[in-house]
Amino acid sequence: MKYVLVTGGVVSGLGKGVTASSIGVLLKACGLRVTSIKIDPYLNTDAGTMSPFEHGEVFVLDDGGEVDLDLGNYERFLDIKLTRDNNITTGKIYQAVIDKERRGDYLGKTVQVVPHITNEIQEWIERVAMNPVDGTDKQADVCVIELGGTIGDIESMPFIEALGQFSYRVGAGNFCLVHVSLVPVLNVVGEQKTKPTQHSVRGLRGLGLMPDILACRSTEPLEENVKLKLSQFCQVPVSNIVNLHDVTNIWHIPLLLRDQRAHEAILRVLGLWCVGKVSQEPKLSEWTERASKFDKLKSPVRIAMVGKYTGISDSYLSILKALLHASVALDRKLVVDWVPSCDLEDSAAIETPDAYEKAWDLLKGANGVLVPGGFGDRGVQGKILAAKYAREKNVPYLGICLGMQIAVIEYARSVMNLCGANSTEFDPATKTPCVIFMPEGSTTHMGATMRLGSRRTFFQVNNCKSAKLYANANYVDERHRHRYEVNPDMVSEFEKAGLSFVGRDESGRRMEIIELPAHRFFVGTQFHPEFNSRPGKPSPLFLGLIAASSGQLEHLLQRSSGTVSSPSRCITGTGAAKSNKLFKKPLNGLVTTYFGNSSSIHI
């Protein structure tokens, strides 16, 4: 097994995750099998209880693991299926060591950071790196490891020590360290400055790790004299210094690495290039075509994202990516209008009239509406108003998780005249509980107590839009993350009133997909289809939303219905699957994005 470690220096948010993913793409394009591990130095055992404002979205895996959003980048870029063990946290490591100590595994030894914590980290990496992730039973050739945080952080010290030992343990030719650092330009001086990277590399070397490759982040391409200076002071060959400057879209990053022969440098360090084990050029024609197509898109499609966490786009990163995958597939330039759901509420008209007017203008100007998942009652009334607007004005609508639940509540109130209809999450004493707490859920613990991971949904109606988008599959496997569900005792009332529950779980009592048959496109899902979307394999429901919003739905449904699956076939958003702060930036890392106004993202 070969290992590539990606670390970061100077500042956070440089795009280590995108860099690690792009390195994986490059190596995979050379014919190698690739897996990934993300190390997060926080004490939480997983990301499940962390606020999206604090840490971005919680990405959910097939096995129900609630993990860092960078694992979503790995899965999307590499088209692989990872497990919860591919996300290592300080909490997981310490918990494992303490459990061993309580069992007496250490035979009376004094348990310390070195060697017990560091050994556990190394053993965890070696064990997880062997797990097949590409749908076959073959283990990977290369494991790309990303160390979260910045070199010098006190939280990372045990991991740095462990990885230093690990590089010696696996031996020369099996370990390659890629250090991502910043080369800024000071406006006053106007030249690219290498000193931050020099200090970062010096700190890394002082901790026992020597970078083999420097990946330098900058706004513009590096000047040649800057590379020579970095080579001299950081003791890295010029051929091993690659520049990751800002690009028009994220799919250019693997191409940028390829053009600078980064794969040759990595393979040379790993002992795979010089002996001819891997010498083929990376096959990236699909990436090249996609990146080029993205840059040429002109016809816009506007999607109003009505949510609670619109202050930071990383809170909805997978949804943004899924929208992007679908819009590029349908030759449309995606424009996302951020609509804070609180600003749509009647109270906002009095308290913040300008924000209220702006929010409604954005909603009314959109071609489609998307209401994502969320927790808590803040902004829920605004989401309900957005669903009502989309339903009454025949505007394409996709509601995910909570977005489906509030659509059900709105339908009960507006169409069925059940004025007090609500979810027990927002009103435990409601007399008309349209949405209820799941019987198996925990009322005392929050972490990992939801209905999580890949679950099967069976279609109840053959000719509904959702089934057609999934190529007339009998069932689909999609990922879930929720505590509340539509009250099964009220389903018959809803269906009599015209709301169709076209997808249910294997028991038939848990509602998974809703549709309004007479509407252009009004779909809600209890699952999260965004987690299975891939650049070359967009989620069918996101394709449906973009198609409906751009006048292409009828053609798409006819095309999708051309293939009828057999009863044993399972189709998901990615093809065959196993059963089993303030607003800062629109996209993670390395992309220059253009803004039409402060509430819109033009992607």
Side-chain angles (χ1 to χ4, degrees), residues 170-444:
V170 299
N174 292 316
F175 188 88
C176 176
L177 173 53
V178 180
H179 188 57
V180 183
S181 187
L182 178 68
V183 178
V185 174
L186 300 180
N187 291 333
V188 177
V189 182
E191 65 175 330
Q192 295 173 332
K193 308 300 290 186
T194 64
K195 194 63 72 176
T197 297
Q198 291 180 44
H199 282 297
S200 180
V201 171
R202 188 175 295 120
L204 189 61
R205 290 167 61 191
L207 294 169
L209 287 170
M210 181 69 182
D212 298 296
I213 294 169
L214 278 182
C216 299
R217 284 284 291 114
S218 61
T219 55
E220 299 293 335
L222 281 188
E223 298 166 9
E224 197 60 33
N225 67 307
V226 173
K227 281 191 176 185
L228 291 171
K229 192 173 181 180
L230 285 169
S231 175
Q232 179 182 1
F233 287 97
C234 298
Q235 299 172 24
V236 176
V238 174
S239 60
N240 285 17
I241 298 176
V242 296
N243 179 211
L244 301 177
H245 55 78
D246 290 348
V247 291
T248 53
N249 73 72
I250 207 168
W251 295 324
H252 279 295
I253 304 303
L255 308 178
L256 205 58
L257 290 170
R258 178 202 61 189
D259 294 343
Q260 297 175 75
R261 316 307 294 172
H263 57 290
E264 290 184 18
I266 294 171
L267 294 173
R268 198 175 291 117
V269 173
L270 295 177
L272 295 174
W273 186 265
C274 59
V275 295
K277 293 182 181 178
V278 179
S279 59
Q280 69 181 46
E281 283 294 300
K283 297 178 180 178
L284 291 170
S285 56
E286 183 183 341
W287 280 88
T288 304
E289 182 182 352
R290 187 181 302 120
S292 176
K293 180 180 180 181
F294 182 108
D295 292 338
K296 296 174 183 176
L297 296 175
K298 297 189 184 311
S299 301
V301 58
R302 303 188 74 94
I303 301 297
M305 181 89 79
V306 183
K308 174 181 175 182
Y309 310 111
T310 54
I312 177 169
S313 61
D314 274 0
S315 301
Y316 302 115
L317 185 63
S318 290
I319 289 178
L320 283 173
K321 300 297 185 185
L323 286 170
L324 187 62
H325 302 160
S327 62
V328 172
L330 294 171
D331 298 315
R332 290 295 182 271
K333 184 177 180 63
L334 176 65
V335 181
V336 177
D337 291 324
W338 295 99
V339 182
S341 54
C342 292
D343 292 346
L344 295 172
E345 297 177 357
D346 294 339
S347 59
I350 301 171
E351 298 168 4
T352 54
D354 290 343
Y356 175 81
E357 184 178 354
K358 182 179 180 180
W360 276 102
D361 285 345
L362 288 173
L363 183 65
K364 292 177 180 179
N367 304 118
V369 177
L370 193 153
V371 177
F375 298 92
D377 60 358
R378 183 172 68 85
V380 165
Q381 185 57 35
K383 295 179 181 181
I384 291 174
L385 290 171
K388 181 177 182 178
Y389 169 81
R391 180 182 59 79
E392 292 181 343
K393 302 299 182 181
N394 203 27
V395 175
Y397 175 88
L398 177 60
I400 297 173
C401 199
L402 179 60
M404 166 182 157
Q405 295 171 7
I406 61 98
V408 171
I409 294 170
E410 189 279 322
Y411 199 83
R413 292 178 181 179
S414 302
V415 178
M416 300 168 66
N417 296 317
L418 301 173
C419 299
N422 213 332
S423 166
T424 56
E425 179 180 6
F426 315 129
D427 181 9
T430 178
K431 294 182 179 179
T432 312
C434 298
V435 179
I436 60 172
F437 192 80
M438 292 187 301
E440 68 269 34
S442 172
T443 58
T444 57

Side-chain angles (χ1 to χ4, degrees), residues 398 457 459 462 464-479 502 512-513 515 521 523 525 527-533 538-544 556-557 559-566 569-575:
L398 177 60
T457 295
F459 286 105
N462 293 329
C464 66
K465 294 182 181 72
S466 300
K468 290 179 180 179
L469 288 168
Y470 279 103
N472 292 326
N474 295 312
Y475 58 82
V476 294
D477 291 327
E478 294 279 13
R479 299 176 185 180
V502 301
E512 294 282 3
I513 309 175
E515 278 192 25
F521 186 86
V523 176
T525 67
F527 51 78
H528 289 260
E530 69 270 21
F531 292 141
N532 273 326
S533 186
S539 164
L541 295 179
F542 280 85
L543 274 174
L556 179 65
L557 292 178
R559 189 178 70 187
S560 299
S561 299
T563 304
V564 181
S565 63
S566 65
R569 185 181 179 191
C570 169
I571 296 179
T572 70
T574 61

Side-chain angles (χ1 to χ4, degrees), residues 30-160:
C30 287
L32 296 167
R33 294 181 182 275
V34 181
T35 186
S36 293
I37 293 176
K38 173 67 187 294
I39 297 174
D40 283 303
Y42 48 69
L43 278 170
N44 308 60
T45 55
D46 59 37
T49 58
M50 301 174 76
S51 165
F53 280 123
E54 180 85 14
H55 194 66
E57 75 170 7
V58 176
F59 190 80
V60 179
L61 302 170
D62 267 5
D63 67 356
E66 297 173 285
V67 297
D68 183 83
L69 56 82
D70 279 319
L71 274 80
N73 281 326
Y74 306 155
E75 285 205 342
R76 284 187 289 269
F77 270 59
L78 298 171
D79 196 15
I80 55 178
K81 299 276 188 179
L82 300 174
T83 70
R84 67 181 75 227
D85 287 342
N86 289 83
N87 192 190
I88 302 174
T89 70
T90 300
K92 286 181 179 179
I93 295 297
Y94 274 77
Q95 189 173 65
V97 170
I98 290 171
D99 288 345
K100 288 181 179 179
E101 184 274 330
R102 292 291 84 186
R103 290 197 304 266
D105 292 3
Y106 297 119
L107 300 174
K109 295 282 187 182
T110 301
V111 180
Q112 297 174 296
V113 173
V114 181
H116 300 98
I117 295 296
T118 53
N119 284 348
E120 184 68 30
I121 293 168
Q122 295 175 67
E123 290 164 8
W124 193 302
I125 290 172
E126 282 192 310
R127 182 179 73 252
V128 174
M130 299 296 177
N131 296 336
V133 294
D134 61 356
T136 70
D137 58 356
K138 297 179 180 179
Q139 71 179 45
D141 302 304
V142 180
C143 177
V144 180
I145 306 165
E146 179 194 346
L147 175 61
T150 306
I151 293 302
D153 293 346
I154 191 170
E155 298 92 345
S156 302
M157 292 304 179
F159 292 102
I160 293 289

